[in-house]
Amino acid sequence: MSILPVVTYDDPVLRKPADPVDPDHPELQSFIDDLFETMYEANGVGLAAPQVGVSLALFVVDADAITEDEDEEDFGPGVFINPEIETVEQEKWDAEEGCLSLPEIREKVTRPDTIRIRYLDREFQPHEEVHNGWYARVLQHEYDHLKGILFIDYLGAFRKRLIRKKLEEIRQGSVKAEYPLASKSQEDSPQIDYKFKESR
Ligand code: NI
């Protein structure tokens, strides 16, 4: 397994819809293992493939660190391939979110409480589940990554202005994280260099 460098918000891969995942995609299982290892290394509760520069409709989640704190049900590690989410109830709530692609930024985001998710697991078995609370929030945040949406997109003009300087620092590569970020160096050098990508 390997820890993959995480791309930051300004990388175009985070702004385009991710491609559907094919069951015979090369090295898919080891890529999923790498996503988990990278997420745990970064103390994240979710990580989407585009966040490591791979435009595939796939994310991993382990939100137990949050759900335990909040006295909600724990679901353990989960793999979500080609997911579709729909809102079940329009009731919404605010909570602070962060994102491994936006180091040092935390902002309140309003999201629907209850969602239905249809997805394939890592064996490509189909599932349909209804979730609420924090787990549903994490799923929605990761799902957004597959649609080219970042949580800062939901902020009002005032909050957006307040984080502008920090965004610029991230873009310039002057914000450090406790996990590897994809290099911001010369355009001609590959941004990310790891086994999975080389093998494609
Ligand atoms: Ni994120």
Side-chain angles (χ1 to χ4, degrees):
M1 293 213 284
S2 34
I3 291 166
L4 310 174
V6 174
V7 302
T8 51
Y9 79 96
D10 50 302
D11 192 301
V13 72
L14 289 177
R15 287 312 196 177
K16 62 174 187 177
D19 295 330
V21 186
D22 200 76
D24 49 24
H25 193 93
E27 294 192 42
L28 186 63
Q29 296 303 323
S30 61
F31 178 58
I32 290 168
D33 291 339
D34 290 348
L35 281 177
F36 273 116
E37 195 182 6
T38 304
M39 178 184 75
Y40 288 127
E41 165 73 15
N43 289 317
V45 293
L47 184 64
Q51 292 185 272
V52 296
V54 176
S55 189
L56 285 179
L58 148 70
F59 61 78
V60 299
V61 155
D62 186 343
D64 288 4
I66 297 180
T67 48
E68 269 164 33
D69 277 357
E70 302 288 332
D71 263 335
E72 293 182 2
E73 189 180 345
D74 298 332
F75 293 97
V79 177
F80 296 82
I81 294 173
N82 299 339
E84 288 298 332
I85 283 183
E86 63 185 59
T87 302
V88 175
E89 285 166 28
Q90 284 308 318
E91 190 195 336
K92 293 183 177 177
W93 60 292
D94 289 348
E96 254 192 18
E97 296 186 16
C99 179
L100 297 182
S101 296
L102 288 151
E104 296 187 2
I105 294 181
R106 295 193 65 81
E107 290 288 334
K108 252 184 206 165
V109 179
T110 307
R111 292 192 190 271
D113 178 59
T114 308
I115 55 114
R116 175 178 290 109
I117 185 166
R118 296 187 184 85
Y119 65 97
L120 305 170
D121 63 24
R122 67 187 299 169
E123 276 80 45
F124 282 80
Q125 295 305 304
H127 298 266
E128 178 175 337
E129 297 162 5
V130 172
H131 291 290
N132 60 15
W134 272 99
Y135 195 68
R137 177 174 291 275
V138 172
L139 293 177
Q140 289 173 84
H141 177 117
E142 298 311 323
Y143 179 70
D144 277 352
H145 279 303
L146 309 183
K147 303 288 174 193
I149 299 167
L150 298 170
F151 80 85
I152 52 173
D153 300 345
Y154 297 112
L155 304 181
F158 178 68
R159 298 303 310 174
K160 274 188 179 142
R161 217 172 308 133
L162 287 183
I163 63 168
R164 201 187 287 158
K165 183 158 175 278
K166 183 61 80 180
L167 287 177
E168 184 55 23
E169 287 171 7
I170 296 171
R171 199 181 63 75
Q172 289 172 351
S174 54
V175 171
K176 302 288 169 242
E178 309 258 301
Y179 46 92
L181 294 173
S183 147
K184 299 274 187 186
S185 50
Q186 309 85 321
E187 306 252 331
D188 55 349
S189 72
Q191 273 247 319
I192 306 175
D193 182 25
Y194 57 86
K195 209 174 62 199
F196 176 75
K197 213 162 190 190
E198 283 166 3
S199 70
R200 296 179 74 194

